[in-house]
């Protein structure tokens, strides 16, 4: 420890005494990038801006407005997107980039064991790099990754992206989720239960809850994820309160996986920042969420999407039963989303996508949630705001992502049509920029 402090002191001394390092002025003529298009969605105010010009300096937006003059000079690169509509990059508040389950192995229980037992953290981080790239190309420029990443694989991926080693979205990482013993694993024999701690940190007392939060921050977490309930294993209200207090003490957020009356009530009473899924949730808990400004992250999909999970090997009768079950599930989710919005609960979009769905990329399958939101009665503007400004606020990143404004990251997507009129345009993103760098451009420079 002494040697480390000494080294820190030496480095500081060198930094302070080296002439010119701190004082070097920014070169005057560094290049600016300018994007022009027909429309821009001002997501904060729910308004369309005509003939927008966005001036980008490095990773960040310098200026934006209708028809503002393009700075003269050879150091300006103009990207003219013609008739396209611009909007901020999407925020997915609930991802699992380091898992990509396969329906062929059965459901979650089988896939979880196979993933954790067979894949090294390094291999999972590389898988995450692929999933992250697929999100980015679909216009998802920021994600909150909420666990199931092995031991700190999400931190490794986040840092690799930030260093420019691989291309991917901005990541808010949670490290391992806190949970009751067993995490979300299905039945495991005694010797196999060691697998659990690869994926979850078990807590059974208030002290363990506090320790787990502190450990997560030491491990590099930006936020905390808690699995409030898995079957009859439920984190107690006292433990939840300790988790929230410990995270909020250092201005970090808590995301709570909670389903059903008891778990959603515990999460809301404890004052978490978001409740994930809440496939069933009573009205009084929704009211508490609205009063405490707790976001709902509805990880919903349209009925036809769930139908695609129905195995082809089943008998006609079994298929019919499963189809009816998925249809009821989707309908119930639509109903609870309507009740949440009516109660005044704010919505942040989250995909919870962790399966390979046919040949869809991770980004393409994740955006199918928007269809479910639409079927629940959300307007295109409400969906766009859930997937931009609201997500940014939930992450605590409202100063850097979620809208096209000066000072924020230049995270911008473009579509041919106008997503504020037809939200399915978001399935056909044609241009993506992240931190000022063009990720894709299928629009000819017109
Ligand atoms: Zn999830």
């Amino acid at each position: 420890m002494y040697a480390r402090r000494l080294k820190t002191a030496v480095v500081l001394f060198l930094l302070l005494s080296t002439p010119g390092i701190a004082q070097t002025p920014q070169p005057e003529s560094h290049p600016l990038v300018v994007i022009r298009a027909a429309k821009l969605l001002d997501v904060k105010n729910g308004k369309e801006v005509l003939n927008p010009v966005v001036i980008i300096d490095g990773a960040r937006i310098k200026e934006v407005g209708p028809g503002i003059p393009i700075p003269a000079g050879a150091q300006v690169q103009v990207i003219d997107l013609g008739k396209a509509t611009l909007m901020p990059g999407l925020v997915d508040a609930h991802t699992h980039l380091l898992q990509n389950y396969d329906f062929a192995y059965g459901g979650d229980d089988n896939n979880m064991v196979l993933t954790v037992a067979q894949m090294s953290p390094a291999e999972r981080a590389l898988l995450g790099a692929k999933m992250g790239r697929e999100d980015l190309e679909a216009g998802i420029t920021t994600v909150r990754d909420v666990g199931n990443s092995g031991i700190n694989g999400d931190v490794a991926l986040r840092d690799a992206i930030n260093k420019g080693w691989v291309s991917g979205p901005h990541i808010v990482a949670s490290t391992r989720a806190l949970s009751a013993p067993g995490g979300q694993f299905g039945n495991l024999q005694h010797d196999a239960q060691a697998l659990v701690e690869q994926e979850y940190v078990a807590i059974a007392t208030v002290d363990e809850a506090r320790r787990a939060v502190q450990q997560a921050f030491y491990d590099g977490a930006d936020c905390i994820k808690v699995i409030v309930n898995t079957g009859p294993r439920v984190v107690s209200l006292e433990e939840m309160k300790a988790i929230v207090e410990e995270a909020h003490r250092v201005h970090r957020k808590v995301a709570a996986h909670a389903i059903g009356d008891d778990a959603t009530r515990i999460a809301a009473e404890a004052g978490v920042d978001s409740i994930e899924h809440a496939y069933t949730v009573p009205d009084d808990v929704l009211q508490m969420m609205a009063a405490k400004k707790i976001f709902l992250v509805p990880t919903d999909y349209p009925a036809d999407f769930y139908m695609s999970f129905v195995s082809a090997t089943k008998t006609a009768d079994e298929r019919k039963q499963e189809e009816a079950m998925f249809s009821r599930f989707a309908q119930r989710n639509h109903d609870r989303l309507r009740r949440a919005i009516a109660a005044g609960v704010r919505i942040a979009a989250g995909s919870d996508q962790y399966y390979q769905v046919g040949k869809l990329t991770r980004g393409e399958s994740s955006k199918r949630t928007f269809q479910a939101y639409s079927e629940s009665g959300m307007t295109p503007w409400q969906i766009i705001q859930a997937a931009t400004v609201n997500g940014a606020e939930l992450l605590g990143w409202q100063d850097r992502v979620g809208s096209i404004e000066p000072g924020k990251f230049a995270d911008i997507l473009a579509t041919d049509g106008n997503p504020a009129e037809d939200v399915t345009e978001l399935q056909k993103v044609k241009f993506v920029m992240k931190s000022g760098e063009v990720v894709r451009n299928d629009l000819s420079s017109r």
Side-chain angles (χ1 to χ4, degrees):
M1 185 49 90
Y2 172 73
R4 190 165 157 191
R5 282 203 185 132
L6 182 67
K7 201 171 143 198
T8 309
V10 169
V11 169
L12 271 175
F13 174 77
L14 285 174
L15 276 175
L16 292 171
S17 60
T18 308
I21 285 188
Q23 292 84 8
T24 305
Q26 285 281 325
E28 283 295 329
S29 57
H30 58 292
L32 299 175
V33 175
V34 172
I35 302 179
R36 296 164 63 159
K39 281 181 187 165
L40 177 146
L41 301 187
D42 170 358
V43 295
K44 270 192 167 168
N45 299 303
K47 280 186 189 155
E48 293 173 12
V49 176
L50 298 179
N51 302 314
V53 176
V54 187
I55 301 173
I56 296 144
D57 185 358
R60 298 198 183 249
I61 295 160
K62 184 180 163 76
E63 218 180 326
V64 57
I68 55 174
I70 293 175
Q75 288 292 312
V76 176
Q77 182 205 348
V78 177
I79 302 171
D80 191 339
L81 298 179
K83 293 177 178 162
T85 300
L86 305 178
M87 61 171 274
L90 301 167
V91 179
D92 186 342
H94 190 124
T95 63
H96 300 283
L97 296 181
L98 280 73
Q99 58 182 178
N100 195 36
Y101 287 179
D102 184 337
F103 292 114
Y105 299 131
D108 286 2
D109 288 357
N110 295 354
N111 271 288
M112 189 172 286
V113 171
L114 289 172
T115 297
V116 179
Q118 295 186 337
M119 291 180 78
S120 68
E123 195 178 358
R124 293 182 71 177
L126 291 167
L127 168 69
K130 174 175 156 64
M131 298 293 109
R133 172 86 199 176
E134 291 181 1
D135 265 5
L136 188 58
E137 286 173 351
I140 299 167
T141 49
T142 300
V143 305
R144 186 177 61 163
D145 208 67
V146 284
N148 299 110
S149 309
I151 296 182
N152 310 330
D154 52 349
V155 171
L157 178 62
R158 175 197 69 195
D159 293 350
I161 290 171
N162 288 345
K163 288 174 189 163
W165 295 355
V166 293
S167 174
H170 303 286
I171 294 180
V172 169
S174 69
T175 69
R176 287 175 293 169
L178 281 51
S179 74
Q184 293 174 296
F185 277 83
N187 183 44
L188 292 176
Q189 293 305 298
H190 180 271
D191 286 354
Q193 290 180 14
L195 291 177
V196 175
E197 68 186 73
Q198 299 291 311
E199 206 75 344
Y200 300 94
V201 177
I203 51 166
T205 67
V206 167
D207 283 349
E208 285 175 0
R210 287 190 192 280
R211 176 178 289 275
V213 172
Q214 300 250 352
Q215 181 69 41
F217 293 143
Y218 179 72
D219 286 346
D222 302 299
C223 68
I224 297 296
K225 168 81 180 299
V226 192
I227 310 297
V228 183
N229 65 326
T230 308
R233 291 172 290 121
V234 182
V235 176
S236 74
L237 178 58
E238 288 67 33
E239 288 153 11
M240 281 304 297
K241 280 182 173 167
I243 289 165
V244 171
E245 186 183 290
E246 206 57 39
H248 285 182
R249 189 162 67 77
V250 291
H251 314 290
R252 302 287 172 92
K253 312 255 184 179
V254 178
H257 161 116
I259 295 158
D261 295 12
D262 295 339
T264 56
R265 183 170 285 107
I266 287 171
E269 276 186 22
V272 300
D273 298 282
S274 62
I275 297 185
E276 321 289 307
H277 321 300
Y279 297 123
T280 49
V281 53
D283 284 328
D284 67 305
V285 171
L286 290 173
Q287 280 155 18
M288 197 175 0
M289 289 172 69
K292 293 186 170 188
K293 295 188 168 17
I294 297 170
F295 281 96
L296 171 66
V297 180
T299 52
D300 303 352
Y301 286 88
D304 69 294
F305 187 83
Y306 293 123
M307 298 296 189
S308 66
F309 296 8
V310 176
S311 166
T313 59
K314 305 237 159 117
T315 66
D317 257 10
E318 286 168 339
R319 285 173 63 86
K320 226 177 187 171
Q321 274 178 17
E322 285 201 350
E323 283 176 8
M325 183 187 76
F326 286 128
S327 175
R328 277 198 305 276
F329 183 57
Q331 279 308 319
R332 274 212 321 266
N333 292 341
H334 292 351
D335 170 63
R336 89 84 170 67
L337 186 47
R338 272 192 287 269
R339 287 190 295 120
I341 290 171
V345 177
R346 287 185 304 166
I347 308 299
S351 67
D352 193 25
Q353 185 54 268
Y354 53 92
Y355 274 89
Q356 180 60 44
V357 183
K359 289 195 173 6
L360 297 181
T361 69
R362 174 59 67 90
E364 287 166 348
S365 59
S366 294
K367 291 188 296 184
R368 293 295 305 278
T369 47
F370 301 153
Q371 189 187 333
Y373 298 166
S374 183
E375 287 171 8
S376 304
M378 284 176 77
T379 65
W381 268 117
Q382 284 176 322
I383 296 168
I384 288 165
Q385 287 170 332
T388 55
V389 270
N390 291 9
E393 194 182 332
L394 170 55
L395 271 52
W397 277 20
Q398 60 271 36
D399 61 339
R400 60 188 96 171
V401 302
S403 59
I404 301 179
E405 287 184 292
K408 291 197 174 181
F409 281 123
D411 295 349
I412 296 167
L413 64 82
T415 48
D416 267 329
N418 180 357
E421 285 167 10
D422 176 6
V423 80
T424 65
E425 283 294 326
L426 290 180
Q427 305 295 338
K428 300 170 275 182
V429 167
K430 295 287 169 63
F431 171 92
V432 180
M433 170 181 274
K434 183 207 158 199
S435 296
E437 287 186 17
V438 176
V439 175
R440 71 184 289 178
N441 185 358
D442 309 340
L443 298 161
S444 53
S445 207
R446 286 166 284 192

